Amino acid sequence: MLRNFLVALLLLLSAVSADAAARFWVGGTGTWDASDQTHWSSTTGPGNAPQTVPGVGDTVTFDANSGGGTVTVNATINVTSITMGAFGGTLDFSANDNNVTVSTFSGTGTGTRTLNMGDGTWTVTAVTGTVWDNGTTTNETLNANASTLLFSAVPTGNRTINLGAKTYNNVTVTNAAMQPFSIDFVNGGAWTIANLTFTNVQQSRWPNSTTLTITGSFVWNG
């Protein structure tokens, strides 16, 4: 009985793993919605398009082969990761103010890129490691709009948040219970947050030679 259960569990996990896919945006200007497959490839460049729209478990990349122009998001996004450091266009969540759930986000790079975060909530769920990486902001325009950047997880280790020398709206770190793992904020020198909130965060570390400006409130609960 137990053996049959374990076999079934392994088969299920294999199926989930097999369903996870890499998705690369191609074709420049377009709409990222729940059905349009024409702008998605399984490799960088348009050679393997069209592919299914990325979903839970998939990685999403905007790179130098994605084309320029504006990608307008018109769906609630739930993927493993978004990477856009080499992108040469605009990724726009502000047209529809979508909510986004990712394990990790990376905007670090030198592509002439713009991220409009919109007014939705960006939920970052990775439990350890660098969960938001915006370390190299060369040629990057980041518009936080009225977004909330929520780091929500049951951590298994220290988490690093690299916001870069940019301005953000609401940044919230929330743990279900008090955890011993630290939140490490790093960046290229100076950044601004409108409102910063910690809940059940036991320790936060900030590097030397850093200037953080909080224009609204700093609340530390728990």
Side-chain angles (χ1 to χ4, degrees), residues 67-135:
T70 298
V71 179
T72 302
V73 182
N74 190 21
T76 299
I77 304 303
N78 189 343
V79 295
T80 294
S81 63
I82 296 176
T83 301
M84 59 172 297
F87 187 37
T90 297
L91 182 54
D92 186 13
F93 291 84
S94 66
N96 298 291
D97 297 325
N98 315 87
N99 291 328
V100 182
T101 301
V102 293
S103 180
T104 60
F105 170 85
S106 177
T108 188
T110 60
T112 305
R113 63 211 183 279
T114 297
L115 174 62
N116 297 325
M117 295 181 66
D119 297 347
T121 297
W122 288 61
T123 302
V124 181
T125 62
V127 297
T128 191
T130 301
V131 298
W132 184 276
D133 187 2
N134 206 38

Side-chain angles (χ1 to χ4, degrees), residues 48 51 74 169 180 199 204 212:
N48 289 314
Q51 297 289 335
N74 190 21
N169 187 46
T199 299
S204 178
L212 166 62

Side-chain angles (χ1 to χ4, degrees), residues 47-70:
N48 289 314
Q51 297 289 335
T52 55
V53 175
V56 177
D58 297 338
T59 61
V60 173
T61 301
F62 298 85
D63 63 12
N65 294 318
S66 293
T70 298

